Amino acid sequence: MTLVYPVGIPLLYAVLLYSSRKELALPELLAEDTPTHAWFIGESVWPPAKLSLHKRQTLEAKKAAKEWDEISGSHHLSFLLEAYDRRVYWFEVVEVLRRLALSGFLVLCGPGSAL
């Protein structure tokens, strides 16, 4: 039972989000020719060249935000998605692990410990 929460919950979240990645991830990040680093910084790999950079980014951001609001609001995993942008939809797993690490550290630093 001790391992259910520290291992089971993050693993469950990771499996659920991974199985829904085709619906949730940015479409350009799922393309086979996408550079690996694009996953980590969420950069766009197909910018249209006709608009100015600022205008293009503004239009893309508005469109992407509206689309993500629709997806994350109606998705069956909306409780995991609503706090994050689309490029980092998986970050709830990282947050759960961070909270567990901080809680575990407090156990080590409790009264009567060697630290």
Side-chain angles (χ1 to χ4, degrees), residues 3-112:
L3 294 178
V4 170
Y5 187 78
V7 175
I9 299 297
L11 185 62
L12 175 67
Y13 286 177
V15 167
L16 289 173
L17 290 170
Y18 184 79
S19 66
S20 297
R21 72 187 179 284
K22 291 184 180 179
E23 302 166 23
L24 301 174
L26 290 167
E28 58 268 18
L29 295 180
L30 294 175
E32 291 183 16
D33 60 344
T34 301
T36 306
H37 70 278
W39 273 101
F40 299 107
I41 58 175
E43 69 181 27
S44 177
V45 292
W46 52 270
K50 292 184 180 181
L51 296 174
S52 70
L53 179 63
H54 176 69
K55 194 172 198 177
R56 179 178 19 150
Q57 289 173 339
T58 304
L59 291 173
E60 286 177 357
K62 286 180 182 178
K63 180 182 174 188
K66 184 178 179 183
E67 183 181 328
W68 179 243
D69 287 343
E70 292 172 6
I71 292 172
S72 65
S74 63
H75 199 273
H76 68 279
L77 297 175
S78 63
F79 67 99
L80 295 175
L81 305 172
E82 60 191 11
Y84 304 103
D85 289 337
R86 190 172 193 175
R87 64 187 177 90
V88 290
Y89 70 91
W90 45 268
F91 210 70
E92 185 64 30
V93 175
V94 175
E95 281 295 308
V96 169
L97 293 172
R98 182 188 66 84
R99 287 187 298 238
L100 284 169
L102 290 173
S103 300
F105 181 71
L106 288 176
V107 169
L108 292 176
C109 296

